[in-house]
Amino acid sequence: MGSQRKHPGTQYPGPKPRAARRRHPLRTILLALLAVAILVPVAAGAYLYNLGQIYQSRTNIIASPFPAESTRPQPHAPGPEAAGSGGQGGAPGAGAAAGTAPGTAAGTAAQEADPYADAALNILVMGSDSRGATADDALSGANSNQRADTLMLVHIPADRSRIYSISLMRDLWIGIPDHGQAKINAALAVGGVPLMVQTVEALFQQRIDHVAMIDFEGFKGMTDALGGVPVNVPEPFVSRHDNFAFSAGTQTLDGEHALEFVRERYAFADGDYQRVRNQQAFVRALFAKNLSPETLLNPVKLHNVLSAMAPFISVDSGLDAATLARLALELRDVRAGDMVMFTLPTLGIGTSADGQSIVLPDPWAVDIISQALADDSLDTYVASGALAGGH
């Protein structure tokens, strides 16, 4: 049977071609941006939570850092806004509520409701050298051979515009409550952290809100984690420990040499005075390096820095991760140039009745600074230039 030829002009039914899908580039871009907007905060929040957990789990808590309440100055007056907030938080320096562990939901809520959040803060920072020392005894308040090699009263004004750090000479000859006259750093040896807090509070008649003790070994780990810290060395010297020569001017110090730099005092004619100046120079440089974009924008470096430092820090229970995060937010506009460091003016070197070489306090300077702390007016005191006795 012959095949039928299709007529050239005839069309036969078949599947219709699929219409091309319309593209919506604007919608695609908006969806992508929405995904980024959701994922980035989540990732950042998870990262910050991780940093908080490192701090919370690796720092040491000083169980009883403060002396008996009856011996202490009154808490700072809260700011007007905080006073009217109706918060339930306790006074600074009171620690967590009884039976509430720091970092728990209840403890965090109490911290967040702190009515003193807008007040000035005083933080006592002690730097100790763990070589041959019984730090655990000092933290517990027991007698020990632990002495504070570095004492700094850090004052943060209510407006959070600056950070002031007042260095106290470790051989400053003052009254230790219930122990007579002695070098100020002896308070840590005979009564641990509580007596050291009580001694500084008695000196300035100002309440200490938080306490931090930092082992010098922590500076070493943090410096290496930062990749070295550029420090402006005030004057040249050769350290007695490893004979390392420090030249005047800016040098990038690794952890080992940073430790030598803050420890050395025998190489200087004025001994501890120059050591305190060197410690101030290092802390200032460390602060600047931590605030630099190369650190803040590097998650790995931030993680390493905190991991290296946290095990060498002991704090009161109130200085937890949530409190530090809130304080960091309040200080977000503070830069390295806003950190003011000076030494409590003194009357120079003297000799005690029992033959010890001591640093003589300047009662006038102590009174003036005490009033400036009470009035939250350290900026006026610093601007007056009355710092010669400490520099």
Side-chain angles (χ1 to χ4, degrees):
M1 184 174 175
S3 63
Q4 292 183 338
R5 299 182 60 185
K6 297 178 182 177
H7 194 279
T10 303
Q11 293 185 354
Y12 294 90
K16 295 182 179 180
R18 302 177 68 180
R21 179 178 295 177
R22 293 182 60 191
R23 296 181 179 274
H24 300 279
L26 180 58
R27 186 175 65 181
T28 303
I29 292 173
L30 290 176
L31 287 174
L33 290 177
L34 179 61
V36 171
I38 294 173
L39 292 176
V40 168
V42 169
Y47 173 68
L48 292 175
Y49 175 79
N50 178 256
L51 291 181
Q53 287 298 104
I54 292 174
Y55 174 85
Q56 202 73 22
S57 62
R58 299 188 186 182
T59 53
N60 303 298
I61 298 299
I62 307 173
S64 300
F66 301 105
E69 187 63 32
S70 61
T71 69
R72 309 189 65 196
Q74 290 299 306
H76 306 295
E81 180 180 348
S85 65
Q88 300 300 313
T100 302
T104 62
T108 301
Q111 289 290 339
E112 291 174 350
D114 186 358
Y116 294 87
D118 291 342
L121 281 177
N122 293 322
I123 304 174
L124 182 61
V125 178
M126 295 167 280
S128 65
D129 197 332
S130 60
R131 297 174 300 178
T134 51
D136 289 343
D137 288 339
L139 292 175
S140 68
N143 290 346
S144 70
N145 66 340
Q146 179 86 344
R147 294 198 174 216
D149 290 296
T150 301
L151 272 176
M152 294 181 179
L153 178 60
V154 176
H155 177 80
I156 302 176
D159 63 8
R160 304 299 193 254
S161 60
R162 292 181 182 272
I163 298 175
Y164 295 93
S165 177
I166 308 171
S167 295
L168 308 178
M169 300 292 292
R170 68 175 198 164
D171 291 342
L172 190 67
W173 191 255
I174 63 170
I176 307 295
D178 300 322
H179 292 81
Q181 296 290 114
K183 295 178 180 180
I184 190 171
N185 72 341
L188 191 64
V190 299
V193 173
L195 185 57
M196 179 60 79
V197 170
Q198 187 179 1
T199 299
V200 176
E201 287 186 336
L203 177 64
F204 293 111
Q205 288 302 302
Q206 292 299 305
R207 191 180 183 93
I208 302 299
D209 303 305
H210 294 294
V211 180
M213 178 179 279
I214 304 172
D215 192 311
F216 278 176
E217 287 292 331
F219 286 126
K220 179 180 177 181
M222 176 182 273
T223 302
D224 286 335
L226 285 167
V229 174
V231 179
N232 184 21
V233 180
E235 68 173 62
F237 68 95
V238 177
S239 69
R240 300 292 179 88
H241 294 97
D242 64 357
N243 293 318
F244 182 78
F246 291 85
S247 303
T250 301
Q251 293 186 49
T252 298
L253 304 181
D254 62 13
E256 192 65 39
H257 292 113
L259 204 55
E260 289 295 312
F261 182 69
V262 299
R263 277 176 173 170
E264 184 59 51
R265 63 173 173 149
Y266 296 109
F268 310 114
D270 55 357
D272 264 343
Y273 281 96
Q274 185 58 48
R275 177 164 76 162
V276 167
R277 288 191 284 269
N278 287 351
Q279 290 171 349
Q280 291 170 346
F282 178 75
V283 170
R284 189 179 292 112
L286 196 64
F287 187 70
K289 187 66 179 281
N290 275 306
L291 288 183
S292 67
E294 66 175 292
T295 300
L296 293 179
L297 299 179
N298 188 331
V300 175
K301 181 175 285 190
L302 270 178
H303 180 278
N304 292 342
V305 167
L306 186 57
S307 297
M309 191 69 180
F312 297 96
I313 300 176
S314 301
V315 296
D316 66 274
S317 62
L319 199 57
D320 59 10
T323 299
L324 282 181
R326 185 175 63 243
L327 187 57
L329 183 62
E330 294 171 354
L331 294 170
R332 61 188 176 277
D333 295 326
V334 171
R335 300 294 179 264
D338 298 319
M339 187 173 196
V340 181
M341 307 188 75
F342 63 94
T343 305
L344 177 68
T346 68
L347 297 179
I349 303 297
T351 304
S352 65
D354 58 356
Q356 299 181 66
S357 175
I358 60 175
V359 173
L360 301 172
D362 182 343
W364 181 84
V366 171
D367 288 345
I368 294 296
I369 291 177
S370 298
Q371 191 60 51
L373 289 168
D375 298 340
D376 202 10
S377 59
L378 268 183
D379 55 340
T380 303
Y381 174 77
V382 171
S384 72
L387 300 174
H391 284 252

